[in-house]
Amino acid sequence: MKRSLLPAVLLLPLALLASACSSTSVADEADGKGSLVLNVGDQKGGAEAVLRAAGELDDLSYRIKWSTFTSGPPLLEAVNAKAVDIGAVGNTPPVFAAGADSKITVVAATHGDPAGEAILVAKDSPLRKPEDLKGRTVAVAQGSSAHFQLIASLKRAGLSLADIKVSLLQPADALAAFTSGKVDAWAVWDPYTSQVLAGGKARVLTDGRGVVNGLGFQVAAPTALADKEKAAAIGDYIERLRRAQDWVYKHPDAWAKVWAKETGLPYEVALAAVKRSNGTRVPVAIDKEAIASEQRIADTFAELKLIPRTFSFADYVDTRFNKNLPPSTTPARSYGKGSS
């Protein structure tokens, strides 16, 4: 295989890689008044950064304690342990958590362009279509949205996980394996997708369009939802996130500058990721279509015995915060041609 696909200067910055493998960190309580504290699970360059950039932390009646996590699965472990009241994850971590019978409840959703969910190969790789992955080694993070995207892409190509060699690696290790040529392909998500493509030595073999649902979720602890004051704070927090997402779409350059500073990504990479996926998200209702789509993911992983049981995804959903949001099938926003 080819080695050193990307020069060192184009690897993901240390700050972002550290966020992919470090332990949980907790920020000081801030931004609000009153005695009520909402414990929010976050990822680097996530909810806290976007809410602050959009001016949505200026008039809170409660305080937020931010905890930073490496990815969705450990964040949901904290929700299950009641250490976190709410946090954002992709479409697959809730399935793995519910499959383990964790105490979690999905309370809000967004629908975005899944172009950032991609299977990447080296620019000069002989692989030209998903069918070519047969017998090849593919890196992917277990339980991530990319995990299902890989399975779905293989299925559409008439293949299964049994037809490839799966290397279960978290992003930091997967990046190293991919750039050194130790794996043939990498199933991953933005901003990693945009970062690797920016180096000019990799390309997209296939992406999530047409194979994954593009949904992302806010997931809360049932005990927090049972507390009247905390439930009210969660509802307010969700509304602020929805307004912040509108701000991101309208101000991609401003958000990219903030996101770049928060993560250490080059501004051009951050802007590419905003236009490819991050800024395209639309707040949507958790409706029957969303639940059915997640059920298909759950059934797929159960059939493959990657989760320990079958279950009803609807049992892990609370629709009280849907309000008058559009359906989950509402098209994602777009920045026009050339944005991905």
Side-chain angles (χ1 to χ4, degrees), residues 156-245:
R156 188 165 67 169
L159 302 175
S160 70
L161 289 179
D163 293 309
I164 66 171
K165 299 172 184 176
V166 179
S167 183
L168 295 175
L169 296 172
Q170 288 298 310
D173 294 329
L175 175 66
F178 183 73
T179 56
S180 64
K182 292 181 180 178
V183 297
D184 298 292
W186 182 17
V188 71
W189 59 91
D190 257 338
Y192 297 99
T193 298
S194 294
Q195 173 70 12
V196 174
L197 292 176
K201 298 293 182 67
R203 57 183 168 80
V204 175
L205 183 70
T206 188
D207 64 34
R209 288 172 169 168
V211 295
V212 299
N213 60 24
L215 296 175
F217 298 108
Q218 292 292 325
V219 181
T223 51
L225 293 170
D227 181 297
K228 185 176 180 179
E229 289 187 346
K230 278 211 170 179
I234 286 171
D236 177 76
Y237 174 77
I238 290 171
E239 285 298 315
R240 291 172 186 274
L241 283 174
R242 289 167 178 165
R243 293 195 297 267
Q245 187 61 48

Side-chain angles (χ1 to χ4, degrees), residues 78-308:
V79 172
N80 177 59
K82 304 177 186 177
V84 164
D85 297 319
I86 189 170
V89 297
N91 64 359
T92 303
V95 166
F96 271 72
D101 202 19
S102 296
K103 294 176 176 60
I104 62 160
T105 303
V106 176
V107 293
T110 59
H111 180 223
D113 188 337
E117 300 273 351
I119 299 177
L120 304 176
V121 296
K123 192 84 170 183
D124 57 359
S125 169
L127 308 183
R128 294 292 166 184
K129 54 187 183 299
E131 289 85 347
D132 296 335
L133 289 171
K134 187 172 184 177
R136 303 289 186 156
T137 301
V138 183
V140 67
Q142 183 166 352
S144 66
S145 56
H147 200 168
F148 182 73
Q149 191 258 333
L150 173 61
I151 293 169
S153 295
L154 289 171
K155 183 177 181 180
R156 188 165 67 169
L159 302 175
S160 70
L161 289 179
D163 293 309
I164 66 171
K165 299 172 184 176
V166 179
S167 183
L168 295 175
L169 296 172
Q170 288 298 310
D173 294 329
L175 175 66
F178 183 73
T179 56
S180 64
K182 292 181 180 178
V183 297
D184 298 292
W186 182 17
V188 71
W189 59 91
D190 257 338
Y192 297 99
T193 298
S194 294
Q195 173 70 12
V196 174
L197 292 176
K201 298 293 182 67
R203 57 183 168 80
V204 175
L205 183 70
T206 188
D207 64 34
R209 288 172 169 168
V211 295
V212 299
N213 60 24
L215 296 175
F217 298 108
Q218 292 292 325
V219 181
T223 51
L225 293 170
D227 181 297
K228 185 176 180 179
E229 289 187 346
K230 278 211 170 179
I234 286 171
D236 177 76
Y237 174 77
I238 290 171
E239 285 298 315
R240 291 172 186 274
L241 283 174
R242 289 167 178 165
R243 293 195 297 267
Q245 187 61 48
D246 291 339
W247 179 86
V248 165
Y249 177 68
K250 295 173 183 176
H251 303 87
D253 299 277
W255 169 235
K257 289 176 183 177
V258 173
W259 201 18
K261 183 177 180 181
E262 288 286 328
T263 61
L265 286 166
Y267 166 74
E268 294 77 10
V269 172
L271 183 61
V274 169
K275 292 187 174 183
R276 178 178 281 107
S277 57
N278 183 273
T280 69
R281 299 169 186 161
V282 179
V284 295
I286 307 173
D287 52 20
K288 291 180 180 179
E289 288 76 16
I291 293 170
S293 181
E294 289 296 300
Q295 188 66 54
R296 285 191 288 273
I297 297 176
D299 292 344
T300 296
F301 280 111
E303 183 178 346
L304 292 170
K305 300 190 183 307
L306 293 173
I307 58 175

Side-chain angles (χ1 to χ4, degrees), residues 55-68:
E56 290 292 342
L57 293 178
D58 296 340
D59 57 348
L60 294 175
S61 60
Y62 50 91
R63 293 185 293 170
I64 296 178
K65 181 182 288 185
W66 300 97
S67 297
T68 304

